[in-house]
Amino acid sequence: MTAQSDICNFQHRPIAVFDSGVGGISVLKHIHALLPNEQLLYVADSKYAPYGNKTAAEIQARCFEIADFLIEKNAKALVVACNTATAAAIDVLREKYTLPIIGMEPAVKPAAEASKNGIIGVLATIGTLKSAQFAGLLESYGRNVKVVTQACVGLVECIERGELNADATKALIKHYCAPLLAEGADTIVLGCTHYPFVRQLIEQVVGSQVALIDTGAAVAKHLKQQLQAHNLLSNNQQSAAVQFWTNSEIENAAQVIELMWGAKANISMLSPDVALTS
Ligand code: DGL
């Protein structure tokens, strides 16, 4: 086999994306929109969601298991589409595996730059807000603004059940946004990949004067740059397939994934490897 064909083989391999559940599909959509010719694999680790209240060691163990599964499926790059898992595990993942690994963090920097009154709010999980990575973010980009943080316990579970418009979901959002509004935040960071799926509800609660910022588009752009830098961008001319795996134990797991993805999807159970849809 020639060196050139080796490169081609690498380029045609899929990009793998995972999250504690369906939240990372908000990032996957940006990746698919920017790189429609790339084959994508997505794992929703819903059985173990939420990651937000797990220890770093527990999250790292989940990340290793999922990364092994996706690398076995021939992934050429790995996207950790989860702020909580990135904070807990990105360093150990990069130590263990050699493929490019892209993580994500709450958009404190862009929010600090966009805020007009210098008060920003951050909605995220407990795990993200308590992490050393987040402390570092505040240290680097939060010095000249007031940053009001709020852990949204229970919100990921509502989204995992597909309850995007339920009264209970809206009540939780009201409860969690109230302290940010009381402090006068004019910009709110959606610091968990599940939250873009309730963006409309959040908008209704905080009003149109408050800007909402999430990182999905930036992650997709960064992934593209990394693939380019490693000579891994596919030159496939056709729109490529997206394959989902879940270990969710809820009855309507496939419908929830399709609700988030916005279309019919190929979904299998993570273990055993059984198709949920065809
Ligand atoms: N979607 C994840 C994040 O971006 C984590 C949600 C959870 O499992 O707690 O932080």
Side-chain angles (χ1 to χ4, degrees), residues 19-21 23-24 49-53 81-85 125 128 156 191-194:
D19 176 45
S20 64
Y51 281 2
N53 49 15
C82 177
N83 296 268
T84 315
T125 67
T128 297
V156 162
C192 166
T193 55
H194 282 72

Side-chain angles (χ1 to χ4, degrees), residues 204-259:
Q204 279 172 27
V205 167
V206 302
S208 55
Q209 298 305 307
V210 176
L212 302 180
I213 301 191
D214 80 84
T215 22
V219 171
K221 221 171 117 188
H222 181 58
L223 168 66
K224 184 174 179 184
Q225 286 162 355
Q226 287 296 306
L227 292 175
Q228 259 157 352
H230 290 88
N231 202 13
L232 286 173
L233 261 189
S234 170
N235 55 10
N236 174 18
Q237 300 298 310
Q238 281 116 39
S239 177
V242 185
Q243 174 67 45
F244 294 83
W245 284 268
T246 180
N247 50 15
S248 172
E249 287 170 336
I250 68 170
E251 211 184 314
N252 61 343
Q255 284 98 312
V256 172
I257 288 176
E258 289 181 342
L259 174 68

Side-chain angles (χ1 to χ4, degrees), residues 14-18 25 28 32 38-44 69-70 73 240-246 257 261 264-270 272-278:
I15 297 165
V17 183
F18 77 94
I25 297 173
L28 189 75
H32 188 58
E38 295 284 350
Q39 198 190 327
L40 302 178
L41 313 178
Y42 183 89
V43 167
F69 172 82
L70 289 165
K73 297 275 176 215
V242 185
Q243 174 67 45
F244 294 83
W245 284 268
T246 180
I257 288 176
W261 182 236
K264 280 259 161 235
N266 290 320
I267 309 166
S268 298
M269 283 310 285
L270 194 52
D273 212 338
V274 171
L276 281 182
T277 57
S278 57

Side-chain angles (χ1 to χ4, degrees), residues 78-83 85-87 90 94 101-105 219 222:
L78 184 65
V79 180
V80 184
C82 177
N83 296 268
T86 299
I90 197 89
R94 287 189 177 134
I101 301 179
I102 287 84
M104 59 192 303
E105 58 191 18
V219 171
H222 181 58

